Amino acid sequence: MWKLTRPDNQHDKLTRDNLLDLEDHRLVRIESVQEDQRQVWVLTRRGHGEAKKLLEPKGIRVSVLREEKYDPVTGELLGTGYDDHAAAVTSTAAELHRAGIGHRLGFQTEIGHRLGSGFVQRADLVVRAPAAGVPVMLLEIDRRTEDAHDLVQKLHQYWEWGRLLPKDADKRTVELARSRPDAIEHVDHEKRLWRRVYPPTGREGLVPVAFVFADTTEVKVANTVAVLEEAGRRYWAPRRYDTLYPKAVTARDYRQAVPVVVTTLEQLQEHGGGAAVRRCGGVAAAGTGRRADADGRARQPRRPRPLPRPGGPRRHGGQAAPRRAAGGGAPGVHAVRAQVHRRALGGDHRAPDRRTGRGQDRVRPVPR
């Protein structure tokens, strides 16, 4: 937490003193202690109410209250298994803040996105850093406690949420969206629900999603990314433009896709803003603030034209074709000059047939 609140400090003494003072006023409490002796602090009910009064008038949403519940038989605190995940989320926010991405008040946790079915998909972390070129980004932190297909399901739910309309949408837009399954793709993003919640991203597509893996190996990350790219291709992959010249237009349409990037918490802790980031369908790039695709479109590489061979063009047998002499043809080839015979525009230009008397076409020999 001290990396997020006091990134310039070399130790956490000042942050710890502030937490102890808040604990004396019953605003925070220690929920658990990790194996590395790190303490997980959460807001109490009183502190949660004070935070809402302070932050919600400024447009900052406060996460859900972590209630203090104990097992009636053993007396152990319930819900402590989530503490490792909460620590990874806080560490991710701290490393992004140290890299210059996002203000300390620009991070929000457990932000819900309600789907049409009533299900609420909660993002682990929401980052808003317009100064760093990231107006908004949804982050999912995974300690490899979730199956890869569960992450694909989350990506699908974010894609579905980006296609919803607000409740007060005009009747014409609603009728257009209900006319056929893909009709929502013809509705501008400014009329959709996600534009009521988040600012424009500055690029094509829906709200970008980042998957951050923590406490795992490179092999597991590679296997998970392979499943994301294959099973989730419908949600992140671009499409061809609907044009009459599909071979001439090589650009891709990202307007209905969810931009997806992948990195690890260890990369953020070691390299900060220069951490290796991989984009689904693309290549790994260094720098979390960079855009893997500048214009949001992937272009097909053009085939290089073959260079001319020395000695002129080749024949089928591999021998060089004889060069044409100036003012004449190649040796052994007779040039034939065609003579044009002009005729009058009117009248019959066919010679009469001796048997029928009717005109017929006659080919005049070319005089030599």
Side-chain angles (χ1 to χ4, degrees):
M1 186 180 295
W2 66 273
K3 294 181 180 180
L4 180 61
T5 58
R6 299 285 182 176
D8 299 332
N9 292 2
Q10 300 297 327
H11 50 78
D12 61 347
K13 184 178 184 305
L14 183 59
T15 303
R16 186 178 298 275
D17 292 342
N18 292 333
L19 288 174
L20 293 176
D21 183 63
L22 294 175
E23 185 182 23
D24 293 339
H25 291 79
R26 299 181 181 180
L27 299 177
V28 297
R29 61 180 177 85
I30 299 177
E31 181 167 292
S32 64
V33 180
Q34 304 298 306
E35 296 180 357
D36 55 359
Q37 301 304 316
R38 290 186 302 170
Q39 297 175 343
V40 178
W41 294 75
V42 297
L43 293 172
T44 61
R45 183 175 297 276
R46 179 180 177 182
H48 189 268
E50 293 292 337
K52 293 181 66 176
K53 294 179 182 179
L54 178 64
L55 299 178
E56 287 189 351
K58 300 180 180 180
I60 302 175
R61 301 171 62 183
V62 182
S63 58
V64 182
L65 173 65
R66 294 290 302 277
E67 298 183 359
E68 189 175 4
K69 296 182 179 180
Y70 296 90
D71 189 281
V73 179
T74 61
E76 296 181 356
L77 182 65
L78 299 177
T80 56
Y82 182 76
D83 294 341
D84 294 336
H85 181 268
V89 172
T90 305
S91 299
T92 302
E95 298 301 334
L96 291 176
H97 180 57
R98 292 186 64 186
I101 302 176
H103 188 265
R104 62 178 60 91
L105 295 179
F107 297 96
Q108 299 173 337
T109 59
E110 297 298 320
I111 300 302
H113 303 81
R114 186 176 297 276
L115 302 179
S117 60
F119 178 79
V120 179
Q121 174 61 45
R122 298 189 179 275
D124 293 334
L125 186 66
V126 177
V127 181
R128 300 195 186 194
V134 186
V136 61
M137 178 175 287
L138 310 180
L139 282 85
E140 288 290 336
I141 288 80
D142 180 27
R143 300 180 57 254
R144 290 305 298 127
T145 56
E146 297 182 86
D147 186 72
H149 293 279
D150 294 338
L151 301 182
V152 175
Q153 181 64 20
K154 288 186 177 182
L155 180 60
H156 167 66
Q157 291 165 353
Y158 287 127
W159 179 76
E160 286 286 349
W161 183 78
R163 298 164 66 90
L164 294 179
L165 294 176
K167 294 183 178 180
D168 58 347
D170 58 278
K171 183 178 179 180
R172 181 179 180 182
T173 305
V174 174
E175 292 178 354
L176 174 62
R178 294 177 178 177
S179 60
R180 57 180 186 272
D182 60 342
I184 188 63
E185 300 179 359
H186 301 278
V187 178
D188 189 67
H189 288 276
E190 297 295 330
K191 299 181 180 180
R192 300 190 190 182
L193 174 62
W194 76 268
R195 280 294 289 110
R196 301 282 186 90
V197 181
Y198 298 119
T201 60
R203 54 178 59 86
E204 290 183 332
L206 305 175
V207 182
V209 177
F211 290 95
V212 180
F213 298 98
D215 303 331
T216 183
T217 62
E218 295 182 0
V219 177
K220 292 182 179 180
V221 173
N223 295 337
T224 305
V225 172
V227 175
L228 276 173
E229 291 184 346
E230 182 65 26
R233 180 174 298 274
R234 178 184 178 185
Y235 315 121
W236 62 261
R239 307 175 185 178
R240 282 187 174 273
Y241 281 98
D242 188 9
T243 176
L244 298 177
Y245 306 96
K247 294 184 178 180
V249 180
T250 59
R252 296 293 187 268
D253 185 6
Y254 281 84
R255 290 175 296 178
Q256 309 302 326
V258 178
V260 178
V261 294
V262 178
T263 188
T264 62
L265 180 58
E266 290 74 18
Q267 282 283 336
L268 293 175
Q269 293 174 343
E270 182 178 357
H271 304 285
V277 176
R278 176 172 179 174
R279 178 173 181 173
C280 281
V283 297
T288 55
R290 297 185 181 180
R291 294 167 61 179
D293 193 357
D295 59 352
R297 300 179 181 180
R299 298 184 178 273
Q300 296 179 355
R302 297 182 178 180
R303 295 182 179 179
R305 296 181 179 179
L307 297 176
R309 297 182 180 180
R314 298 280 178 174
R315 286 183 176 178
H316 179 67
Q319 301 178 357
R323 296 186 176 180
R324 188 179 300 276
V333 179
H334 299 280
V336 180
R337 297 182 179 180
Q339 296 183 0
V340 180
H341 301 271
R342 297 183 178 180
R343 301 176 182 177
L345 295 178
D348 190 1
H349 306 290
R350 297 178 298 175
D353 191 354
R354 296 179 180 178
R355 294 175 297 177
T356 61
R358 298 179 180 178
Q360 64 179 0
D361 294 333
R362 182 178 63 180
V363 179
R364 298 182 180 180
V366 179
R368 297 182 178 178

